[in-house]
């Protein structure tokens, strides 16, 4: 999983194809381990999500699936594939953007924390360790039983800040 400051696309020597290959390899392994089937459609959806480090909406995924095909993929098919990938922890849903992004570490269940650039839409999954203690204290003080955590912090990524984006 990426640390707070490691932006995968901020480095000029970033090998994005390696990210895609690793994600697909992890998906195949996880499906084999959990005795689930990674169908062609599910794999295509995962590949489209990993095509960049930016969140992707369901209709963008649907358009991507339609490229080179004779018939358009129906929305329920796409949403079923997304539900499958979410359930296995291979992707995360970014609620504020109504979009999906690949999970950096699908080998275990974990809370979702993202830094989202408001200029270029880069989304970086950050290590949840730095958030665990404050959230635990909040839960303890309030008596609230937190069942799910999904934190999204918006701002400018390093590249956009350096480029002077607003």
């Amino acid at each position: 999983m990426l640390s707070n400051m490691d932006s995968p696309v901020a480095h000029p020597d970033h090998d994005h194809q390696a990210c895609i290959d690793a994600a697909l390899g992890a998906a195949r392994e996880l499906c084999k381990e959990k005795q689930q089937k990674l169908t062609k459609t599910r794999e295509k959806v995962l590949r489209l999500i990993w095509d960049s480090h930016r969140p992707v909406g369901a209709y963008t995924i649907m358009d991507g699936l339609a490229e080179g095909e004779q018939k358009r993929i129906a929305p329920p098919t796409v949403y079923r594939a997304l539900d499958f990938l979410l359930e296995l922890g291979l992707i995360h849903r970014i609620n504020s953007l109504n979009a999906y992004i690949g999970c950096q570490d699908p080998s275990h269940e974990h809370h979702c924390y993202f830094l989202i650039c408001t200029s270029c839409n880069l989304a970086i999954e950050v290590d949840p360790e730095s958030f665990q203690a404050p959230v635990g204290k909040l839960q303890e003080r309030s008596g609230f039983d937190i069942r799910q955590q999904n934190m999204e912090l918006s701002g400018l990524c390093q590249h956009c800040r350096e480029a002077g984006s607003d």
Side-chain angles (χ1 to χ4, degrees):
M1 187 171 311
L2 297 174
S3 72
N4 298 19
M5 303 314 289
D6 293 334
S7 170
V9 291
H11 304 289
D13 60 346
H14 175 69
D15 181 2
H16 189 63
Q17 187 59 48
C19 291
I20 295 170
D21 293 342
L24 293 174
R28 290 180 190 115
E29 281 298 312
L30 193 59
C31 285
K32 184 178 178 182
E33 176 185 312
K34 297 196 179 246
Q35 299 179 340
Q36 297 291 320
K37 187 172 182 177
L38 187 63
T39 63
K40 285 184 180 186
T41 299
R42 292 169 177 171
E43 186 169 327
K44 286 179 184 178
V45 168
L46 185 60
R47 183 181 295 277
L48 287 167
I49 289 171
W50 272 96
D51 202 33
S52 75
H53 289 284
R54 287 165 178 77
V56 182
Y59 283 91
T60 301
I61 293 168
M62 200 172 357
D63 291 342
L65 289 172
E67 288 180 19
E69 297 294 322
Q70 291 183 337
K71 68 176 192 172
R72 188 162 176 81
I73 304 294
T77 302
V78 174
Y79 283 108
R80 279 194 299 272
L82 290 168
D83 287 343
F84 173 85
L85 297 171
L86 281 167
E87 189 175 313
L88 283 184
L90 293 166
I91 62 172
H92 296 294
R93 184 172 189 277
I94 297 183
N95 294 322
S96 65
L97 302 175
N98 194 20
Y100 303 86
I101 191 159
C103 177
Q104 297 289 333
D105 186 9
S107 65
H108 67 283
E109 195 172 312
H110 56 274
H111 301 295
C112 305
Y113 300 98
F114 294 98
L115 301 175
I116 303 169
C117 182
T118 55
S119 180
C120 71
N121 292 326
L122 175 71
I124 303 170
E125 185 177 352
V126 296
D127 184 2
E129 293 300 315
S130 55
F131 294 99
Q132 292 303 310
V135 171
K137 286 180 184 176
L138 175 64
Q139 180 171 307
E140 198 175 288
R141 282 194 315 261
S142 68
F144 193 83
D145 182 17
I146 298 172
R147 303 269 170 103
Q148 181 181 3
Q149 296 178 39
N150 186 1
M151 186 179 300
E152 302 168 16
L153 305 170
S154 299
L156 292 176
C157 69
Q158 181 178 348
H159 175 75
C160 290
R161 259 193 7 260
E162 290 172 356
S165 298
D166 286 332

